Amino acid sequence: MSSKRSETRQKLLQTTVNLLEKGQGKGVRMADIAVAAGVSRQTLYLHFGSRTELLIAATRYHDDQLDVEKRYQKVAETTNASDHLNAFIVFWGEHVPLVYNMAQALWEDADKDGAALAAWNDRMNATKTVCQLAVATIESEGLLSPSWTVETGTDFLFALLSIRNWALLTRTCGWSEVEYINRQQLVARNALFL
Amino acid sequence: MSSKRSETRQKLLQTTVNLLEKGQGKGVRMADIAVAAGVSRQTLYLHFGSRTELLIAATRYHDDQLDVEKRYQKVAETTNASDHLNAFIVFWGEHVPLVYNMAQALWEDADKDGAALAAWNDRMNATKTVCQLAVATIESEGLLSPSWTVETGTDFLFALLSIRNWALLTRTCGWSEVEYINRQQLVARNALFL
DNA sequence: ACGATACTTGACACTGTGTCAAGTAAAAGA
DNA sequence: TCTTTTACTTGACACAGTGTCAAGTATCGT
């Protein structure tokens, strides 16, 4: 009967994901989640110690549903640095919209809560690693512009592709997904190659 | 005797600026400011209706002290698009560190408070206007890469120079002010010109 | 001396997070 | 079948921080 517990846990996570995704992540309270899941507020604290823990668990849960590894395959399968970079930016341009609202909820808490900050940094480091891979590939083919080292080039690409930049360009400036991808490819290529 | 009121007001603003600048903007409470200014908490509400109002007023007060117009002169005095862009990025690279902590305090409230959001957008629009000027100058000399329109090029430059990008590159990645300026100049030039 | 101005004092409402203790209901185990 | 355990509920409360209110004090100008 320990399956009832994990059933409830799953329901809570799913409800949290749903609310965060639709509500733009803004001001989703513990009470809101409890009501939406048809459960008492205290049950949330029984399963997750705090709002931050719930947020982190929900983020992971959501990630698992997205099957990121599989979609990253196309990047991994490329055979040269230029294709790799382009494929990576395509991947990223398609990935961020799926993750944005969850990420936003996390970083809003990162101001106050150390655990949320840690979780946020975790995710950021993961994406920086893939940036690093892309730049290292360019360097290994001798195509990295002498203006950059692998490290600083990675920093730049990481900043260029940051989620907040994505939000600024697509949400605030109104770029479409395709425009975002094409222009970021262009900028990254012009900056890093030669 | 109405000078006493404005004296106090000034003292409150200055104290707020001091606290925000040193404290990384994080968690500066009304009570903290009141104590630091040697005044009761309620006096703050007598002069400014809310935390957000105080924050906005403090930001303006701080801006006035910085004499931005004068430091922007060097940008305005340039005679061609390339110099203009370079001078602008130098200006920006020197400007952001002075403004960062205040800006951070403002945008942290922007999540919750509509007024803070409005104030934040105001500032952002101001900087976007100067970005637009830089890109329009390039275009007017026929040097803007055909990949861009003035509008999209402005969007890009605005994103590249966003305060959050600055924070990511200098604070998180550890770029020095000089490195930031040189590399951002490089990237902007490579992306926009041709 | 009078009254306005500037500020103080202390209490209180409100929101949202997190905690605690006692209670219920139903499945699991003897 | 009776008992224990598990999963959840209920309602109260502490706490932080913002914002409000009413009554009090001190000082300045006239």
Side-chain angles (χ1 to χ4, degrees):
Chain A
M1 204 268 172
S2 90
S3 84
K4 179 144 190 211
R5 183 170 169 86
S6 77
E7 246 175 58
T8 303
R9 187 188 155 91
Q10 172 132 343
K11 183 175 65 180
L12 297 179
L13 289 172
Q14 189 61 56
T15 304
T16 305
V17 168
N18 293 154
L19 282 185
L20 288 178
E21 289 221 297
K22 97 165 67 153
Q24 313 295 318
K26 279 172 193 168
V28 175
R29 294 157 299 186
M30 295 300 265
D32 297 332
I33 298 168
V35 168
V39 119
S40 75
R41 196 169 65 90
Q42 284 60 24
T43 299
L44 286 180
Y45 288 98
L46 242 50
H47 284 264
F48 313 92
S50 69
R51 190 186 132 88
T52 298
E53 263 185 55
L54 171 57
L55 242 49
I56 293 172
T59 305
R60 280 202 227 294
Y61 181 79
H62 187 231
D63 279 354
D64 290 347
Q65 292 180 323
L66 290 177
D67 208 0
V68 181
E69 328 293 333
K70 190 181 166 192
R71 291 192 296 108
Y72 187 74
Q73 271 298 319
K74 285 181 189 165
V75 182
E77 282 165 359
T78 56
T79 54
N80 68 73
S82 179
D83 288 354
H84 183 111
L85 183 63
N86 281 334
F88 173 50
I89 293 178
V90 169
F91 162 79
W92 190 247
E94 292 169 351
H95 179 68
V96 178
L98 305 175
V99 162
Y100 179 65
N101 284 333
M102 302 293 298
Q104 194 179 13
L106 208 54
W107 92 51
E108 266 167 25
D109 273 37
D111 293 332
K112 316 152 203 166
D113 192 310
L117 183 64
W120 174 255
N121 287 336
D122 252 30
R123 309 190 115 248
M124 289 306 94
N125 285 336
T127 87
K128 191 160 184 179
T129 300
V130 237
C131 290
Q132 212 257 348
L133 187 58
V135 177
T137 305
I138 299 172
E139 205 265 343
S140 75
E141 291 185 10
L143 296 172
L144 186 66
S145 160
S147 313
W148 302 103
T149 62
V150 172
E151 201 193 347
T152 56
T154 301
D155 292 342
F156 159 69
L157 188 60
F158 179 54
L160 185 73
L161 299 181
S162 72
I163 292 187
R164 280 164 158 151
N165 256 2
W166 176 89
L168 197 61
L169 292 170
T170 66
R171 305 290 223 241
T172 309
C173 297
W175 292 15
S176 71
E177 188 174 304
V178 174
E179 288 175 319
Y180 173 86
I181 290 173
N182 289 338
R183 293 190 188 130
Q184 293 286 68
Q185 283 177 336
L186 183 85
V187 170
R189 222 181 307 129
N190 279 340
L192 294 171
F193 277 92
L194 192 60
Chain B
M1 201 262 180
S2 88
S3 83
K4 176 141 191 213
R5 183 170 169 87
S6 76
E7 247 176 58
T8 304
R9 186 187 156 91
Q10 173 132 344
K11 184 175 64 179
L12 296 179
L13 289 171
Q14 188 61 57
T15 305
T16 305
V17 168
N18 293 153
L19 282 184
L20 288 178
E21 289 220 297
K22 98 164 68 152
Q24 312 295 316
K26 279 173 194 170
V28 176
R29 292 157 301 185
M30 295 300 264
D32 298 331
I33 298 169
V35 168
V39 119
S40 74
R41 196 169 64 90
Q42 284 60 24
T43 300
L44 288 178
Y45 288 98
L46 244 50
H47 284 264
F48 313 92
S50 69
R51 190 186 133 89
T52 299
E53 263 185 56
L54 171 57
L55 241 48
I56 293 172
T59 305
R60 280 202 227 293
Y61 181 78
H62 186 230
D63 279 353
D64 291 346
Q65 292 180 323
L66 290 178
D67 209 0
V68 181
E69 329 292 333
K70 191 182 164 191
R71 290 191 297 109
Y72 186 74
Q73 272 298 320
K74 286 181 188 164
V75 182
E77 281 165 1
T78 56
T79 54
N80 66 73
S82 179
D83 287 354
H84 183 110
L85 183 64
N86 281 333
F88 173 50
I89 293 178
V90 169
F91 162 80
W92 190 248
E94 290 169 352
H95 178 67
V96 178
L98 304 176
V99 161
Y100 179 66
N101 284 333
M102 303 292 299
Q104 195 180 15
L106 208 55
W107 92 50
E108 265 167 25
D109 272 37
D111 293 332
K112 316 154 203 165
D113 193 308
L117 184 63
W120 173 254
N121 286 335
D122 252 29
R123 312 190 113 246
M124 288 306 94
N125 286 335
T127 86
K128 191 160 184 180
T129 300
V130 236
C131 289
Q132 212 257 346
L133 186 59
V135 176
T137 306
I138 299 172
E139 204 265 343
S140 75
E141 291 184 10
L143 295 173
L144 187 65
S145 160
S147 313
W148 302 104
T149 61
V150 171
E151 201 194 346
T152 56
T154 301
D155 291 342
F156 159 69
L157 187 60
F158 179 54
L160 185 72
L161 298 181
S162 72
I163 292 188
R164 281 166 157 150
N165 256 3
W166 176 89
L168 197 60
L169 291 170
T170 66
R171 305 289 224 240
T172 308
C173 297
W175 291 15
S176 71
E177 189 173 303
V178 175
E179 288 174 320
Y180 173 86
I181 290 173
N182 290 337
R183 293 187 189 133
Q184 293 286 67
Q185 283 178 335
L186 184 85
V187 171
R189 222 181 306 130
N190 280 340
L192 295 171
F193 277 92
L194 193 60

